[in-house]
Amino acid sequence: MIAVRKLVKKFDGNAVLDGITLEVEQGEIIVVIGPSGTGKSTLLRCINFLEQPDGGEVQIGDVRVDATRASRAEILALRRNSAFVFQNYALFANKTALENIAEGLIVVNGWPKAKAHQRAREILERIGMSEKADAYPAALSGGQQQRIGIGRAMAAQAEVILFDEPTSALDPEWVDEVLELMKQLAVERQTMIVVTHEMQFARDVADRVIFMEGGRIVEQGSPSQLFSAPKDDRTRAFLRKVL
Ligand code: ADP
Ligand code: MG
């Protein structure tokens, strides 16, 4: 359902993504781990062209885009097929929780305001935040802000949700409520690619764990395979540090 083929991204001549190839099935939960500076965020950002890749191709659902000759229309179609959850939430400070969830539906999908607000109310109900509909981000805890960030991604009904370290900016007390919401999505078989350092989440939820280093996929497998019997020395060295 998602295919990334030979994806390359360079910054200042350095290949930060050095030819990544990856296929993800519908309903699959992928967790990406690896040292910092290894290209994990760049991979997610290139998958929906928040960052323009220098080579390779990305396919999500029926939209297939060649990095070297991607049109504006193709990139927009790709973005409609994917949703992004940012480390720092990236909510609009001057919009309420409800408006933050509705905004993309209005601007990206062209929905009338009333319909978008109706959907946003349904999402707030699902994420247990109905009573905060009219609250502005500054009045919400970090955990609540990130749940709105995830609610916004859910509202888009995209084929895949891309999570870039969704809990690493949170105070420890808010981490669990965000992971719980992500687990709920996993149970519903929402396809997702999650970059995280939460190894217990990876063990509990991932169908497949991918270890990246130096802009490449070094090793991948089921959580039990990868955590209990890593094959590559680099994977072993990394796991020794984080487990
Ligand atoms: P990770 O998410 O695994 O920590 P990143 O994808 O953020 O790694 O970054 C990979 C490498 O690319 C790092 O060396 C980083 O400094 C570099 N990089 C990321 N974004 C940019 C950018 N916009 N301009 C220049 N270099 C960048
Ligand atoms: Mg990162």
Side-chain angles (χ1 to χ4, degrees), residues 172-237:
E173 58 192 312
W174 309 125
V175 168
D176 281 348
E177 66 184 65
V178 170
L179 292 178
E180 279 309 314
L181 177 55
M182 292 167 65
K183 281 182 188 173
Q184 185 185 318
L185 290 177
V187 167
E188 294 165 11
R189 302 319 289 178
Q190 164 69 55
T191 312
M192 44 205 226
I193 305 178
V194 183
V195 174
T196 185
H197 297 294
E198 294 287 341
M199 296 300 151
Q200 193 58 48
F201 175 84
R203 278 182 195 278
D204 293 345
V205 175
D207 297 306
R208 183 158 36 124
V209 181
I210 292 177
F211 173 69
M212 267 183 76
E213 194 174 292
R216 294 183 182 185
I217 294 176
V218 171
E219 183 170 353
Q220 54 183 312
S222 68
S224 59
Q225 260 173 349
L226 199 100
F227 289 124
S228 315
K231 293 193 185 81
D232 194 282
D233 285 343
R234 290 166 292 178
T235 318
R236 250 177 257 135

Side-chain angles (χ1 to χ4, degrees), residues 71-141:
S71 71
R72 186 79 201 141
E74 284 177 327
I75 291 172
L76 287 176
L78 196 71
R79 291 208 183 127
R80 270 196 295 274
N81 278 1
S82 59
F84 208 101
V85 175
F86 298 88
Q87 183 174 353
N88 61 0
Y89 336 127
L91 301 180
F92 297 109
N94 60 345
K95 293 190 188 294
T96 64
L98 180 121
E99 289 165 346
N100 265 284
I101 293 174
E103 181 71 6
L105 298 173
I106 297 168
V107 174
V108 180
N109 302 68
W111 287 23
K113 191 170 156 185
K115 185 180 171 197
H117 281 206
Q118 178 54 38
R119 163 67 66 75
R121 272 189 208 93
E122 289 163 18
I123 297 282
L124 285 167
E125 178 86 38
R126 278 178 67 196
I127 65 177
M129 287 196 57
S130 295
E131 75 286 5
K132 297 292 184 187
D134 299 323
Y136 288 88
L140 300 174
S141 73

